[in-house]
Amino acid sequence: MSGYSQKQISNFLGLSISTIKNRLHSALNRLRTKMIDRVSDNLHFQRPSRNCDEYLEITKFKMPDFW
């Protein structure tokens, strides 16, 4: 879809603009759901260890000032 307007897509497919908008909205929601599930799964397996606080204290970890 890069570079094409919704009107151009609707003309090409022979569908109304509202149908194009609805399909895009549905596709984005499905993508969002899948990405959230994937990130949640990965975070579970890549979470810091229980002694992470101790490690950060030992290494004198400091958050940048902009946080």
Side-chain angles (χ1 to χ4, degrees):
M1 280 198 17
S2 61
Y4 295 103
S5 69
Q6 291 176 352
K7 184 173 183 172
Q8 289 172 317
I9 295 168
S10 72
N11 288 335
F12 179 78
L13 295 176
L15 300 170
S16 68
I17 292 178
S18 63
T19 299
I20 300 300
K21 289 181 179 183
N22 286 333
R23 288 183 180 183
L24 286 171
H25 180 75
S26 296
L28 287 172
N29 281 337
R30 285 192 309 269
L31 178 62
R32 182 181 297 114
T33 300
K34 287 182 179 188
M35 291 191 69
I36 288 172
D37 290 345
R38 181 167 287 189
V39 168
S40 296
D41 290 344
N42 286 335
L43 285 177
H44 175 73
F45 292 112
Q46 296 178 5
R47 67 178 181 253
S49 64
R50 293 187 187 272
N51 64 354
C52 179
D53 292 337
E54 295 170 13
Y55 173 76
L56 294 176
E57 182 61 32
I58 291 170
T59 59
K60 303 294 184 194
F61 178 80
K62 182 182 177 209
M63 293 296 284
D65 292 333
F66 60 84
W67 289 103

